[in-house]
């Protein structure tokens, strides 16, 4: 690729080369220390790693920052590609940079050059964004309090256009809201006063002193060390930080595989934690929880949730989940309906049952009511059974008019397992007593954890989860599970599923022996309904016999049990296996072997890698596909030392081939 050399000529005041002088805008510098006026928005100082959507956004940002600090901006150098004349690099500096040329010394105009070192150097990177590569903040002169005129860079061929300081500032906020951080309003407020003020203002994120800078510093650092890190910030009309979303590169990769079912965890927001955190959580091929993104919200409003969900969709390539699981929250529900219209929204059963002591603990017959409620929720196999058990409970204990129970009953189709049998949960249903959906950052965050501490713990939590997944990958591929029966189903899936998922399925195979009777109830052509009797543990550890109806269609290879284990957990139950075995089937039909549980799932399933449809101009698409491919090599490369050496050699060979292409173009 041919590129124009760097132009090292220093541009004097009021002068620009033809390629550089393209427009002017007005900036205002405030009085006060460092030129920052108290009570105003603070444009955070430039830092290495900042990224902007365009050159104009970068220039406007630096111009607004200069206005706040007390200097004006000049373009020192620009880089252009020889063929297209597309700009790909620039240095912006303080107008006092350098010194006048000798021929200009005798002019009447007052000398303003002091050789000031303040500058930023930026370049157009592969993601088509402008990234700051070098920063010098120090000035060697007094920062002024005058109205200056700054050189405004526009695209080639664009007419000259004046922008007032307010227009430039507004443009920066609207086009790249992520870099304007609220300074906390009135600097004279103490932390308690600020907290009270923000708690009454749902349009502004409740941050304490230094939190905004901590967020920004963290994001800049992550963009430098984590190449696929993504974040968005949302500001209100006053420029205050309102909502934030971010996702690291590993979580973005997980979004390619594990967004079929997501749990939107707003526990911290609902419970009024110090950090108003909302987390997107999925489940990986080992049955482990995996983080799919995080957000901080100003409050529980439909607009905040909608903004967060749309931000998440942006990095999830617009793929809507099949199922979303949340706490019972009407505001959250309305946002999901609008942003995820095709997803089935369900309330977490464990969330509902966890609130039983709080909501019913004061009732006279609490223990008996709790027992009856649990029996209705977890033991009902048919809707009619649930309705009868619920009616008996509220009538017997006189709680027909209990407000919380009445609201639960009205929402029963969204949380009671008996109504959710057609909903796919991939193991995140918690349809049995003891099953829970724990917060992803459980044991890392408590109610008073400050934001700065959370950002450190966030990385620790992710590192721990990633290590667990890597170890599970290695174990699944290198260690053969021990078989406990002679059942062909067990042998079949021991070769396919990851170790942890296989162990759960293996338990179903073992429990086939507790099912002592399989008989036909009804025959309708190829469809046969079987009755499977199972001995189960009842009250007081007494053995009880329960009946399970299983539909079997030999022609279609379909088997469905009334317990709906497959939709709830992603593998067939003991009752369905008994029916298959009864009918002489020796292998589980392929439709009941989910790819997401396979030990080589990530290797086999590479979404969006359609080389024939690559956009010849979309560098962001190129980056995303290359990153995903490289990440797969990395994950395969940690299995063993031989895998590591092979992966490293592959990277070196690939890099050499890329360099060969570059040399041929030159």
């Amino acid at each position: 690729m041919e590129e124009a050399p760097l132009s090292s000529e220093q541009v004097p005041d009021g002068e620009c080369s033809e390629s550089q002088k393209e427009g002017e805008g007005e900036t205002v510098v405030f009085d006060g220390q460092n030129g920052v006026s108290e009570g105003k928005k603070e444009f955070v100082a430039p830092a290495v790693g900042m990224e902007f959507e365009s050159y104009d956004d970068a220039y406007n940002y630096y111009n607004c920052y200069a206005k706040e600090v007390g200097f004006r901006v000049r373009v020192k150098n620009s880089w252009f590609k020889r063929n297209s004349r597309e700009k790909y690099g620039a240095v912006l500096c303080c107008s006092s940079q350098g010194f006048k040329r000798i021929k200009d010394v005798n002019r009447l105009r007052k000398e303003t050059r002091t050789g000031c070192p303040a500058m930023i150097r930026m370049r157009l990177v592969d993601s088509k964004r402008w990234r700051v590569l070098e920063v010098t903040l120090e000035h060697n002169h007094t920062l002024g309090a005058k109205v200056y005129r700054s050189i405004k860079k526009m695209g080639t061929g664009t007419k000259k256009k004046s922008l007032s300081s307010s227009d430039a500032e507004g443009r920066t906020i609207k086009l790249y809201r992520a870099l304007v951080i609220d300074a906390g309003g009135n600097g004279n407020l103490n932390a308690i006063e600020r907290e009270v003020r923000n708690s009454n203002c749902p349009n502004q994120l409740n941050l304490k002193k230094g939190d905004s800078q901590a967020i920004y510093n963290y994001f800049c650092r992550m963009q430098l060390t984590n190449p696929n890190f993504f974040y968005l910030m949302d500001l209100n009309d006053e420029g205050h930080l309102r909502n934030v979303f971010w996702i690291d590169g590993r979580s973005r990769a997980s979004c390619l595989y594990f967004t079929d079912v997501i749990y939107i965890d707003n526990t911290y927001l609902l419970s009024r934690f110090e950090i108003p955190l909302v987390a997107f959580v999925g489940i990986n091929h080992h049955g482990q929880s995996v983080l799919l993104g995080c957000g901080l919200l100003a409050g529980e409003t439909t607009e905040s949730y909608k903004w967060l969900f749309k931000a998440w969709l942006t990095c999830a390539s617009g793929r809507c989940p099949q199922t979303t699981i949340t706490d019972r929250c009407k505001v959250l529900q309305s946002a999901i309906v609008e942003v995820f219209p095709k997803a089935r929204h369900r309330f977490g059963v464990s969330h509902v049952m966890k609130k039983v002591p709080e909501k019913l603990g004061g009732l006279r017959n609490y223990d008996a009511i709790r027992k009856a409620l649990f029996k209705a929720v977890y033991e009902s196999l048919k809707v009619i059974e649930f309705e009868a058990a619920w009616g008996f409970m509220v009538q017997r204990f006189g709680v027909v008019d209990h407000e919380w129970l009445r609201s639960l009953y009205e929402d029963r189709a969204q949380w009671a397992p008996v109504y959710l049998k057609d909903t796919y949960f991939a193991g995140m249903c918690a349809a049995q007593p003891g099953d829970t959906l724990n917060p992803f950052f459980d044991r890392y965050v408590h109610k008073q954890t400050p934001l700065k501490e959370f950002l450190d713990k966030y990385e620790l939590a992710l590192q721990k989860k990633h290590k667990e997944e890597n170890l599970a990958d290695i174990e699944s591929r290198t260690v053969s599970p021990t078989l406990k029966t002679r059942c062909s189903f067990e042998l079949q899936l021991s070769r396919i599923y990851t170790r942890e998922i296989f162990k759960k399925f293996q338990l179903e195979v073992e429990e086939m022996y507790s099912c002592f009777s399989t008989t036909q109830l009804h025959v309708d052509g190829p469809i046969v309904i079987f009755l499977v009797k199972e001995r189960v543990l009842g009250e007081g550890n007494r053995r009880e016999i329960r009946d399970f109806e299983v539909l079997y269609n030999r022609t279609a290879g379909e088997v469905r049990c009334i317990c709906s284990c497959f939709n709830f957990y992603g593998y067939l139950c003991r009752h369905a296996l008994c029916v298959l075995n009864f009918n002489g089937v020796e292998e589980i039909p392929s439709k009941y072997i989910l790819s997401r549980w396979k030990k080589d799932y990530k290797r086999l399933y590479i979404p969006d890698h359609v080389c024939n449809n690559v956009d010849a101009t979309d560098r962001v698409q190129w980056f995303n596909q290359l990153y995903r491919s490289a990440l797969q090599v990395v994950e395969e490369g940690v299995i063993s030392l031989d895998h590591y050496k092979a992966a490293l050699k592959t990277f070196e060979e690939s890099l050499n081939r890329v360099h060969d292409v570059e040399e041929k173009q030159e």
Side-chain angles (χ1 to χ4, degrees):
M1 179 186 296
E2 294 185 353
E3 298 178 343
L6 169 65
S7 171
S8 59
E9 179 184 0
Q10 295 180 355
V11 183
D13 284 349
E15 297 182 17
C16 287
S17 67
E18 182 178 352
S19 65
Q20 291 175 328
K21 185 176 180 181
E22 293 157 3
E24 293 185 343
E26 186 174 84
T27 60
V28 179
V29 181
F30 293 93
D31 286 317
Q33 186 178 2
N34 294 329
V36 179
S37 176
E38 281 194 349
K40 300 289 184 180
K41 291 184 295 294
E42 176 183 332
F43 284 77
V44 294
V48 173
M50 278 185 174
E51 288 193 357
F52 300 85
E53 293 297 332
S54 68
Y55 170 81
D56 287 345
D57 291 348
Y59 182 91
N60 279 330
Y61 157 73
Y62 195 54
N63 213 12
C64 290
Y65 165 75
K67 175 195 72 174
E68 295 282 349
V69 173
F71 67 97
R72 65 169 174 150
V73 176
R74 181 163 52 85
V75 179
K76 179 183 179 182
N77 304 115
S78 294
W79 290 264
F80 295 88
K81 296 178 182 177
R82 281 207 179 106
N83 296 332
S84 64
R85 296 299 295 168
E86 177 188 5
K87 185 182 294 182
Y88 72 91
V91 173
L92 306 181
C93 65
C94 173
S95 62
S96 296
Q97 186 272 342
F99 298 94
K100 277 190 176 181
R101 294 175 295 190
I102 295 177
K103 66 178 182 179
D104 296 327
V105 169
N106 294 326
R107 290 187 179 181
L108 296 178
R109 187 172 179 179
K110 183 181 178 181
E111 173 64 85
T112 60
R113 300 293 186 87
T114 64
C116 180
M119 52 77 72
I120 63 170
R121 180 170 63 88
M122 55 189 183
R123 183 183 178 95
L124 185 67
V125 294
D126 290 343
S127 62
K128 283 296 184 181
R129 288 185 178 181
W130 283 78
R131 179 179 296 169
V132 176
L133 303 178
E134 182 181 352
V135 174
T136 301
L137 297 178
E138 295 76 17
H139 296 261
N140 64 358
H141 56 91
T142 302
L143 298 178
K146 297 183 291 184
V147 176
Y148 289 120
R149 301 193 63 79
S150 293
I151 301 168
K152 172 70 181 72
K153 294 285 292 178
M154 301 297 289
T156 305
T158 304
K159 294 181 180 180
K160 293 182 180 180
K161 181 180 179 180
S162 294
L163 287 177
S164 68
S165 64
S166 60
D167 289 339
E169 181 178 322
R171 175 177 171 82
T172 302
I173 292 173
K174 290 176 183 176
L175 292 182
Y176 197 74
R177 300 163 75 91
L179 288 180
V180 190
I181 309 295
D182 174 44
N186 190 334
N188 295 322
L189 289 176
N190 61 35
I192 296 176
E193 290 171 332
R194 179 176 303 154
E195 184 172 348
V196 172
R197 180 200 64 187
N198 286 344
S199 65
N200 296 322
C201 184
N203 196 38
Q204 180 177 340
L205 197 58
N206 183 7
L207 297 178
K208 293 187 176 179
K209 186 176 181 180
D211 282 351
S212 295
Q213 190 66 45
I215 294 173
Y216 173 70
N217 291 342
Y218 174 75
F219 287 170
C220 284
R221 177 164 55 86
M222 289 302 292
Q223 282 198 313
L224 289 174
T225 60
N226 199 317
N228 215 21
F229 185 83
F230 174 89
Y231 72 94
L232 285 176
M233 290 185 176
D234 175 38
L235 304 185
N236 61 22
D237 293 337
E238 290 75 38
H240 296 154
L241 192 58
R242 180 167 52 192
N243 303 308
V244 183
F245 170 79
W246 75 94
I247 181 171
D248 68 286
R250 186 71 178 263
S251 295
R252 288 190 77 180
S254 295
C255 282
L256 300 171
Y257 307 104
F258 307 120
T259 57
D260 47 356
V261 181
I262 62 170
Y263 165 39
I264 302 173
D265 181 12
N266 61 345
T267 304
Y268 312 97
L269 187 60
L270 289 175
S271 302
R272 302 291 187 269
F273 274 51
E274 183 78 12
I275 49 173
L277 178 69
V278 177
F280 295 83
V281 182
I283 188 168
N284 67 12
H285 51 316
H286 301 289
Q288 303 166 335
S289 60
V290 55
L291 190 66
L292 303 175
C294 280
L296 300 175
L297 299 187
E300 292 180 75
T301 65
T302 302
E303 289 305 314
S304 289
Y305 280 124
K306 282 165 56 179
W307 179 89
L308 182 66
F309 298 160
K310 289 176 181 178
W312 182 81
L313 275 179
T314 299
C315 66
S317 303
R319 285 190 299 273
C320 182
Q322 294 182 42
T323 307
T324 58
I325 305 170
T326 70
D327 202 342
R328 291 177 67 230
C329 176
K330 295 298 182 184
V331 174
L332 190 58
Q333 185 175 4
S334 59
I336 288 175
V337 168
E338 186 167 339
V339 183
F340 304 138
K342 296 181 179 179
R344 292 192 172 190
H345 179 208
R346 301 293 182 255
F347 302 145
V349 184
S350 61
H351 289 81
V352 173
M353 305 310 286
K354 194 182 296 184
K355 293 180 180 178
V356 169
E358 173 193 345
K359 301 295 185 180
L360 305 180
L363 298 179
R364 186 179 60 180
N365 296 312
Y366 167 69
D367 289 336
I369 295 173
R370 179 184 177 277
K371 181 178 177 181
L373 178 61
F374 272 64
K375 185 177 180 67
V377 171
Y378 291 117
E379 295 185 17
S380 298
L381 291 175
K382 298 179 180 179
V383 170
I384 191 173
E385 294 176 3
F386 176 84
E387 301 280 358
W390 189 280
F392 175 78
M393 176 188 69
V394 296
Q395 290 292 339
R396 179 181 178 184
F397 299 107
V399 289
V400 174
D401 296 325
H402 191 280
E403 185 177 349
W404 185 69
L405 286 175
R406 188 170 60 232
S407 68
L408 270 190
Y409 185 74
E410 290 172 355
D411 292 338
R412 62 193 182 283
Q414 286 192 274
W415 65 269
V418 73
Y419 293 93
L420 309 181
K421 294 183 178 182
D422 291 331
T423 303
Y424 170 66
F425 285 97
M428 297 185 74
C429 179
Q432 295 295 324
D435 291 350
T436 58
L437 287 174
N438 292 319
F440 184 85
F441 295 103
D442 197 23
R443 297 190 302 275
Y444 289 93
V445 177
H446 54 76
K447 203 153 190 172
Q448 283 76 40
T449 301
L451 181 61
K452 295 177 184 178
E453 182 181 333
F454 166 71
L455 292 176
D456 293 332
K457 290 186 173 181
Y458 169 87
E459 292 192 69
L460 290 176
L462 257 62
Q463 289 172 5
K464 181 175 182 293
K465 293 289 185 179
H466 294 162
K467 183 178 180 180
E468 289 174 354
E469 182 175 336
N470 288 336
L471 291 175
D473 278 336
I474 294 171
E475 188 177 48
S476 292
R477 295 179 186 178
T478 58
V479 180
S480 298
T482 302
L483 301 183
K484 298 182 179 181
T485 72
R486 295 183 179 181
C487 179
S488 59
F489 303 143
E490 183 186 17
L491 176 62
Q492 179 189 6
L493 292 196
S494 70
R495 298 168 175 168
I496 300 173
Y497 277 178
T498 60
R499 188 174 179 85
E500 287 304 313
I501 299 301
F502 172 72
K503 285 166 67 176
K504 294 178 180 180
F505 172 76
Q506 188 178 46
L507 179 62
E508 295 299 317
V509 174
E510 290 183 85
E511 291 299 321
M512 286 174 63
Y513 296 99
S514 66
C515 302
F516 61 92
S517 173
T518 302
T519 57
Q520 291 186 7
L521 276 185
H522 180 73
V523 179
D524 183 9
I527 300 175
V528 182
I529 296 178
F530 288 88
L531 181 68
V532 178
K533 292 183 177 291
E534 180 189 7
R535 293 186 180 91
V536 298
L537 282 177
E539 294 181 28
N541 289 329
R542 291 179 300 176
R543 285 283 182 176
E544 298 177 357
I545 296 176
R546 297 197 68 190
D547 295 341
F548 295 85
E549 294 180 10
V550 181
L551 180 148
Y552 178 63
N553 186 331
R554 180 185 295 273
T555 304
E558 181 181 2
V559 59
R560 285 189 299 168
C561 180
I562 196 170
C563 75
S564 200
C565 177
F566 183 75
N567 277 343
F568 287 161
Y569 298 103
Y571 46 81
L572 290 179
C573 64
R574 60 201 70 173
H575 319 112
L577 296 177
C578 283
V579 169
L580 291 178
N581 185 62
F582 182 85
N583 285 275
V585 178
E586 295 185 354
E587 287 194 344
I588 295 174
S590 59
K591 67 171 68 176
Y592 298 110
I593 302 176
L594 296 185
S595 296
R596 71 170 343 277
W597 301 138
K598 293 181 178 179
K599 59 182 71 177
D600 52 1
Y601 172 55
K602 289 185 177 181
R603 188 192 310 172
L604 297 175
Y605 178 62
I606 311 176
D608 293 344
H609 280 216
V610 186
C611 297
N612 296 331
N613 296 327
V614 172
D615 189 333
T617 61
D618 189 351
R619 290 175 181 251
V620 175
Q621 183 188 21
W622 304 350
F623 177 87
N624 288 337
Q625 292 192 357
L626 288 170
Y627 181 85
R628 290 194 288 261
S629 296
L631 187 60
Q632 282 197 309
V633 178
V634 171
E635 290 180 339
E636 295 287 329
V638 297
I639 293 176
S640 69
L641 181 60
D642 289 339
H643 283 78
Y644 164 75
K645 291 179 179 178
L648 193 62
K649 183 178 180 181
T650 299
F651 277 133
E652 292 171 351
E653 292 173 350
S654 298
L655 187 60
N656 290 333
R657 292 178 63 185
V658 172
H659 288 162
D660 290 343
V661 172
E662 189 174 340
E663 291 174 2
K664 290 178 182 178
Q665 289 181 345
E666 293 177 353

